[in-house]
């Protein structure tokens, strides 16, 4: 099998790429390679035009049904001389709905834009034997690149020379600690985070310097592979979109069947062909809730506004409801479940001021203008700990200025600095790995603060403490010092003595303590995980960090419990998709994973019927964020790539906000179901009315324009008000709604059937009672009962199985909406010009009392059905 670049020596890599380290590529070679490999940029698809996006908004099955109904209504209205007002109203609503949808831009396009913005604009290279600065886009495979602290890695490099090099790869691998790099060859396959002789595009150099050779550019880099994965991941239809599609199909079938029956029966009665065709079209208008697409869109938009106030920014409208169906949350560790800040949480501290001197002096940390600590996360954690104990770095540095140092390297695993105490003494400060440092010590600070010779018992005790910290996944650093007396007659002699001491500085040290640090879990995340479990949601950790660290954090948070398993990226790679799918329910933690593993894990959960939410903040999270039903990115620490690939962005980076968002998603689902139940039950009530009228060969009880007024004004506006109903008290103490279950469950069908029969029956009664006066009066009474019964039945629908007075005044918007629609309806029924437009007649007092009695009766009968349902 062909070796990978990290498995080759520097010489082998240079030979394979055909480049000399000192000379670099020539201009001719650069041009030749650019012709072969192209520019150092990502390949991308062309942006979707606004027109195409607009057309795509009409792909929903229900929208298509409404378009067909509008066209038929318009054509028949035109041919029959009744105008096309009904058709125009429906089309205006659909166009407005499409315009709202167009503003939801493509996540894949934005993700690629964000990936491009991450690339370093310029880099330092060696070409033609000379150093030069070029645009990152101009790099080709084989270029020799030089890096130093503060640089962003411009392409994937094999490191061929380095000194004290550390690279922050958190965005790519998930590790919170910068990786110490080397030029050593790596045997065998390993994860990205373990390839210490490689530097990857878009990662940043935090310390040291290096020279590397470009081995991959553009789409062939690790970040480029992520871009390709984002582009290849298709759009996932949300559960709500699937339910609305199913709803549209069911309504279309019902409409087609009922209209056909009525059309045939009417012809059998000897009615005019065109008259019966118009009747069937009117019934289609009655059967389909024209306002439902707009209502569902606005309901979701209102949910977006509420979530924004809770620091959850929703980028994709249907995702709001999907949150409520979430069954699994796959979360990145670093910066999401943890604070993304190394913190000292345990220490073996000897009673000596030297402990804090070493901590503060043996460090390259600087203080920013706002007091923020700048530097390596491990060192900032040490300095923060010492300053928390009341010791100031600025004072220590002023008292003991640095005169020499021995930088950290991966072989020694030690860092040493030498400091002038006065003209005759020198302080040596050393920190590093416990095993390496303890081997350099001969003394220890005792419990009384005095220095004595270190014993085997001391070493055994400290070794046990080190093991204890390591078992808790803490990163342990040991601290030691030495004091040297110097006889110097001048500065030159003093510095010569310093160099002499430096040569043997890491020996004869006095052990003064050791500290254990970790990127600690967020306290609010611990609470959020518990709330997720109470809500029937499985929390899962997916991280690029080490297995032991991931397990420790997962146990502290409650993600990992007895019986749960842990898988590493290499173990995931050995499993087939079927094997992984079979065991995902038993795995709580995935460690040392690569981006493609995250995508497979999310897909495995989805294959088990789960609605998967993926939270994260790094570049490595982006493909999985886009594939998941809900991608949730961190707004503060999250990369642009993660944000643009996500559906939801947490503005406060608080994992607990996801729990609040899930609760809001469930509330939205509950309220949307109420709205749909209200609209369908009242529309079916219209069908019952018209069907009975045709079967009995009556004149049409309602005219098309009257039906349209009822559907668009009396249905849609109250439905919107239902969307702001407060959440049920037990909303986060019940299992998620089954995403595979449509709206038409048995209880749902039973409820809308009863309510449709009640509303239809009351309207039929009004029609028959009004016929004694005239057909116009009958139609007017039918129109009034159909309108006002909706205002009574809505209170029965909104409370579910509870009595209608439950939370009677908790939704003021519902009351305001009802008041508004009543005023509009009365204006239509009492104003002569509007009465003429809608073909309505004036009612007397007795007829108004009948309307009121029938409307209240609808509420009472609806409430009685609840009692019957409970007994059943």
């Amino acid at each position: 099998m062909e070796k990978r670049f990290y498995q080759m020596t520097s010489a082998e890599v240079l030979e394979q790429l055909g480049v000399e380290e000192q000379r670099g590529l020539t201009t001719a070679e650069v041009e030749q390679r650019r012709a072969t490999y192209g520019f150092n940029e990502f390949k991308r698809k062309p942006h979707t035009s606004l027109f195409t996006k607009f057309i795509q908004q009409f792909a929903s099955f229900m929208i298509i049904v409404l378009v067909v109904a509008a066209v038929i209504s318009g054509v028949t209205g035109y041919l029959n001389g009744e105008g096309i007002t009904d058709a125009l109203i429906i089309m205006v609503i659909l166009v407005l709905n499409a315009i709202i949808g167009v503003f939801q831009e493509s996540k894949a396009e934005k993700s690629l834009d964000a990936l491009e913005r991450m690339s370093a604009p310029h880099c330092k290279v060696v070409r033609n034997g000379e150093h030069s600065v070029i645009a990152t886009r101009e790099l080709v495979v084989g270029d020799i690149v030089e890096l130093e602290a503060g640089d962003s890695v411009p392409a994937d490099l094999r490191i061929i020379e380095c000194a004290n090099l550390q690279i922050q790869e958190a965005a790519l691998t998930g590790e919170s600690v910068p990786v110490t790099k080397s030029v050593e060859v790596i045997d065998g396959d390993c994860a990205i985070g373990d390839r210490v002789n490689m530097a990857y595009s878009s990662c940043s150099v935090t310390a040291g310097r290096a020279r590397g050779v470009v081995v991959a550019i553009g789409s062939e880099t690790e970040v480029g592979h992520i871009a390709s994965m984002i582009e290849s991941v298709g759009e996932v239809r949300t559960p709500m979109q699937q339910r609305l599609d199913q709803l549209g199909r069911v309504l279309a079938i019902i409409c087609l069947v009922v209209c056909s029956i009525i059309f045939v029966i009417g012809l059998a009665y000897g009615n005019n062909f065109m008259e019966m065709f118009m009747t069937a079209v009117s019934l289609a208008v009655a059967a389909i809730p024209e306002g439902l697409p707009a209502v569902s869109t606005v309901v979701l938009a209102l949910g977006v506004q509420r979530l924004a106030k809770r620091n959850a920014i929703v980028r994709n409208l249907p995702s709001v409801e999907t949150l409520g169906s979430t069954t699994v949350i796959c979360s990145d560790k670093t910066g999401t479940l943890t604070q993304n800040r190394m913190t000292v949480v345990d220490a073996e501290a000897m009673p000596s001021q030297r402990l804090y001197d070493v901590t503060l002096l043996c460090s390259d940390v600087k203080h920013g203008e706002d007091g923020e600590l700048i530097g390596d996360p491990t060192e900032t954690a040490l300095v923060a700990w010492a300053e928390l104990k009341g010791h100031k770095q600025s004072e220590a540095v002023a008292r003991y200025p640095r005169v020499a140092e021995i930088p950290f390297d991966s072989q020694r695993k030690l860092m040493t600095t030498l400091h002038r105490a006065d003209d005759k003494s020198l302080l040596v400060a050393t920190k590093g790995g416990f095993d390496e440092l303890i081997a350099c010590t001969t003394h220890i600070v005792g419990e009384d603060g005095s220095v004595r010779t270190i014993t085997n018992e001391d070493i055994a005790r400290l070794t046990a403490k080190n093991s204890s910290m390591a078992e808790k996944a803490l990163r342990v650093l040991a601290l030691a010092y030495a004091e040297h007396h110097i006889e110097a007659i001048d500065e030159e002699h003093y510095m010569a003595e310093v160099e002499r001491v430096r040569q043997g500085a890491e020996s004869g040290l006095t052990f003064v303590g050791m500290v254990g640090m970790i990127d600690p879990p967020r306290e609010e995340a611990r609470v959020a995980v518990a709330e997720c479990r109470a809500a029937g949601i499985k929390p899962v950790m997916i991280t690029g960090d080490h297995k032991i660290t991931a397990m420790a954090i997962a146990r502290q948070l409650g993600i990992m419990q007895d019986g749960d398993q842990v898988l590493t990226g290499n173990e995931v790679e050995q499993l087939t998709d079927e094997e992984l799918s079979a065991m995902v329910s038993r795995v709580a933690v995935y460690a040392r994973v690569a981006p493609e593993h995250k995508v497979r894990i999310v897909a495995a959960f989805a294959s088990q019927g789960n609605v998967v939410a993926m939270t994260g903040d790094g570049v490595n999270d982006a493909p999985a964020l886009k594939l998941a039903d809900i991608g949730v990115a961190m707004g503060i620490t999250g990369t642009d790539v993660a944000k643009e690939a996500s559906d939801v962005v947490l503005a406060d980076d608080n994992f607990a906000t996801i729990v609040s968002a899930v609760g809001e998603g469930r509330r939205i689902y509950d309220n949307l179901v109420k709205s749909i139940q209200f609209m369908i039950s009242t529309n079916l009530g219209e069908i019952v009315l018209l069907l009975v009228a045709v079967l009995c060969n009556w004149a049409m009880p309602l005219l098309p324009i009257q039906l349209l007024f009822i559907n668009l004004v009396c249905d849609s506006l109250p439905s919107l008000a239902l969307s702001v109903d407060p959440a049920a008290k037990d909303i986060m103490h019940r299992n998620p709604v089954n995403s595979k279950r449509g709206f038409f469950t048995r209880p749902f069908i039973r409820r809308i059937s009863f309510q449709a029969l009640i509303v239809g029956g009351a309207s039929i009664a009004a029609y028959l009672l009004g016929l004694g006066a005239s057909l116009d009066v009958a139609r007017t009474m039918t129109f009034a009962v159909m309108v006002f019964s909706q205002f009574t039945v809505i209170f029965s629908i909104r409370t579910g199985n509870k009595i209608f007075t439950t939370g009677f005044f908790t939704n003021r918007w519902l009351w305001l909406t009802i008041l508004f629609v009543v005023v509009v309806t009365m204006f239509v029924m009492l104003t002569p010009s509007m009465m003429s437009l809608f073909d309505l007649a004036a009612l007397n007092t007795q007829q108004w009392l009948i309307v009121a009695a029938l409307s209240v009766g609808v509420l009472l009968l609806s409430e009685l059905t609840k009692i019957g349902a409970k007994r059943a």
Side-chain angles (χ1 to χ4, degrees), residues 350 437-438 441 443-445 462 478-480 509-514:
M350 310 308 175
L437 189 135
I438 202 72
T441 59
H443 293 76
I444 188 173
V445 175
L462 294 172
L479 307 163
L509 301 174
T510 298
F511 190 90
V512 75
M514 61 182 176

Side-chain angles (χ1 to χ4, degrees), residues 86 104 198 279 378 387 428 479 495 513 614 661 726:
D86 297 355
Q104 304 301 314
M198 299 290 294
T279 300
T378 300
E387 292 196 335
V428 174
L479 307 163
M495 293 307 298
M614 168 74 184

Side-chain angles (χ1 to χ4, degrees), residues 78-302:
Y78 177 78
L79 294 176
N80 211 33
E82 296 183 357
I84 59 172
T85 304
D86 297 355
L88 285 177
I89 292 174
I90 295 174
M91 290 306 298
V92 166
I93 293 171
L94 296 180
V95 169
L96 289 175
N97 189 65
I99 291 173
I100 294 173
V102 165
F103 286 103
Q104 304 301 314
E105 295 184 10
S106 169
K107 290 182 290 181
E109 291 173 0
K110 288 189 175 182
S111 297
L112 292 173
D113 289 341
L115 279 165
E116 287 184 346
R117 290 196 298 270
M118 284 188 64
S119 300
H122 294 87
C123 58
K124 297 180 285 290
V125 298
V126 177
R127 286 182 177 174
N128 301 307
E130 298 179 352
H131 295 265
S132 58
V133 177
I134 65 169
T136 299
R137 181 175 181 270
E138 303 291 330
L139 276 179
V140 296
V141 173
D143 260 324
I144 303 297
V145 176
E146 296 189 334
L147 300 172
E148 60 184 22
D151 287 347
S152 180
V153 182
D156 284 1
L157 311 177
R158 169 59 163 91
I159 301 168
I160 56 179
E161 177 187 322
C162 69
N164 196 29
L165 179 65
Q166 293 186 323
I167 296 180
Q168 176 60 269
E169 296 180 340
L172 188 63
T173 67
E175 285 196 62
S176 56
V177 179
V179 180
T180 299
K181 297 293 185 176
S182 70
V183 297
E184 296 176 356
V185 176
I186 299 173
D187 295 325
D189 291 331
C190 62
I192 291 175
D194 296 323
R195 299 172 189 172
V196 295
N197 57 17
M198 299 290 294
Y200 291 106
S201 176
S202 299
C203 295
S204 56
V205 180
T206 60
R209 59 177 181 79
R211 175 177 282 189
V213 58
V214 175
V215 297
I217 60 173
S219 298
E220 297 303 316
T221 63
E222 292 297 332
V223 172
H225 292 158
I226 294 174
S228 300
M229 282 190 279
I230 293 173
E231 189 173 314
S232 63
V233 173
E235 293 294 334
V236 179
R237 291 189 67 76
T238 68
M240 179 56 69
Q241 289 173 319
Q242 295 170 11
R243 291 186 183 107
L244 288 175
D245 282 349
Q246 182 205 37
L247 176 62
R249 286 191 292 271
V250 171
L251 290 178
I253 292 171
I254 292 174
C255 177
L256 183 62
V257 171
V258 174
C259 289
S260 299
I261 291 173
I262 289 177
F263 182 73
V264 171
I265 291 174
L267 291 179
Y269 275 121
N271 293 325
N272 180 271
F273 179 89
M274 183 56 68
E275 180 183 341
M276 288 313 305
F277 185 75
M278 283 300 300
T279 300
V281 171
S282 297
L283 186 59
V285 173
I288 300 173
E290 290 86 352
L292 182 56
V295 167
S296 62
T297 299
V298 175
V299 165
L300 295 175
L302 291 173

Side-chain angles (χ1 to χ4, degrees), residues 407-461:
F408 176 88
D409 67 47
S410 57
Q411 285 76 32
R412 293 170 25 255
K413 294 185 179 179
L414 296 172
M415 174 182 177
T416 298
T417 55
L418 290 79
H419 304 265
R420 186 195 296 265
D422 54 44
D423 291 340
K424 292 188 177 182
S425 60
L426 193 66
L427 175 64
V428 174
T430 302
K431 72 171 185 282
F434 173 79
D435 292 334
E436 288 74 17
L437 189 135
I438 202 72
C440 302
T441 59
T442 55
H443 293 76
I444 188 173
V445 175
E447 294 180 0
D448 60 356
S450 63
V451 177
R452 59 176 174 78
T453 302
I454 194 167
T455 65
N456 289 334
E457 289 77 12
D458 292 326
I459 294 175
R461 175 176 58 82

Side-chain angles (χ1 to χ4, degrees), residues 824-866:
V824 172
T825 303
M826 295 307 291
F827 175 74
V828 168
M829 294 188 70
L830 299 177
T831 305
S833 59
M834 298 303 294
M835 292 171 65
S836 175
L837 177 65
F838 283 89
D839 289 323
L840 297 173
L843 302 181
N844 59 35
T845 302
Q846 182 183 7
Q847 291 163 345
W848 274 113
L849 289 174
I850 292 173
V851 168
L854 288 173
S855 299
V856 173
V858 168
L859 173 61
L860 297 178
L861 287 174
S862 183
E863 289 296 293
L864 286 175
T865 62
K866 294 181 181 180

